[in-house]
Amino acid sequence: MTMNRYWRLDSRPRGEDFASALSLQEVPLADPAPGQILIRNRMLSMDAGTRMWMTDRTDGYQPPLDLGTPMQGLVLGQVVSSRASGFAEGDWVRAFGTWSDYSCVDPLLSGAMKLDPSVADMRDHLGTLGMNGWTALWGIERTCAVKAGENVLVSAAAGSTGLLACQIARILGANVYGIAGGERKCRLLESDYGLIAAFDYKSGSVAAGLSRIEGGIHAYFDNVGGEILDDVLANMALYGRVAICGLIAEYTGGRQHGPENFDQILMKRLRIEGFFSPDFMDQGEQLTARLRSWVDAGTLSLPYDVTTGLENTLEAYAKLFTGANIGKVLVELQS
Ligand SMILES: NC(=O)c1ccc[n+]([C@@H]2O[C@H](COP(=O)([O-])OP(=O)(O)OC[C@H]3O[C@@H](n4cnc5c(N)ncnc54)[C@H](OP(=O)(O)O)[C@@H]3O)[C@@H](O)[C@H]2O)c1
């Protein structure tokens, strides 16, 4: 009998203590029901936004996961059995599945997408060409409406979404600045990714650094929220745009209060807008095609921080919240 190991959410985690809240379980592998596909997971995508699903917040963009159920997240793998039209055994797919050896999903409900196996590095389907790539492109081009010559600032700039947002802003001709945790990340952003300057929020240098950006910040791609947003609001240019991509500084705690510098929205006539990738899933093909043209041209890339083995998933996941990662965090599953 084939067994399926999966991570079960047993309780709501406190802070980054995931080991006390999730446990690895094993059950016999079930056959897919009519309309479902069974995916052999090859990679699990570690995404910061999934931290909110572990809380009991009911006013988020997705209802909380029920306790006692498998942890959900984006997976990449191969179909081993299909009872859904349009999917056949052997197809490579990306879907919202479970942190497990196998994911059994309804393609429509899970957003399952067939993947092009000719992409040289299949990890790109979770990174540059995946949800992080789509989010970065949409946020920079549509929500921030970045124009060549503008000053663009990105927070969590050395993470997966942030690093892609920085590069896309640069491709569009912007002057790119970043905020990241630690000297090493900041210098890497400047030396390898062409940022004009990156500011280390852990050393408290953000406010002073931002105040030196000549002409102010025209567009801010925010992955973090919290106190950093206050520093940014104080240094926005007139008619600047703020794209709220994520609020990672606020995912583990309770509800947060808004920015103290809220008045700057009026003083600078700012536009602040949240955006969420499932809202533009239907435009995935066009977004992927544009991203791929940059990947193929060598102008867009992402380092992958890979952990091997389903049993090590929680260590990989924690990196997103301790800042141990540069680029995309993935778990590769042994076959
Ligand atoms: N709107 C959407 O549709 C959408 C889609 C994808 C992702 N997102 C958002 O994008 C953000 C990044 O997600 P990701 O999955 O790509 O993860 P990631 O950026 O690869 O990793 C998270 C990074 O956030 C930084 N961080 C962690 N805690 C922080 C804190 N308290 N204050 C400041 N920085 C902190 C860490 O880097 P440092 O070393 O710099 O601290 C860490 O490397 C998240 O907010 C996520 O929710 C939104």
Side-chain angles (χ1 to χ4, degrees), residues 6-67:
Y6 71 95
W7 282 100
R8 187 179 69 190
L9 183 66
D10 297 323
S11 59
R12 309 285 172 204
R14 288 168 182 270
E16 284 95 52
D17 181 12
F18 300 115
S20 303
L22 292 107
S23 60
L24 194 57
Q25 303 290 321
E26 193 172 45
V27 288
L29 183 64
D31 289 328
Q36 289 187 327
I37 55 173
L38 183 64
I39 304 167
R40 175 76 173 98
N41 295 336
R42 299 290 177 193
M43 297 177 211
L44 308 181
S45 173
M46 298 288 102
D47 292 292
T50 59
R51 178 67 182 83
M52 273 184 290
W53 311 351
M54 296 179 180
T55 70
D56 56 8
R57 277 190 73 161
T58 52
D59 60 351
Y61 47 49
Q62 141 140 1
L65 290 176
D66 290 332
L67 296 181

Side-chain angles (χ1 to χ4, degrees), residues 50 104 116 145 178 190 199 222 231 262 301:
T50 59
C104 195
D116 179 353
E190 292 166 357
F199 310 112
D222 189 8
D231 289 335
F262 186 81
S301 64

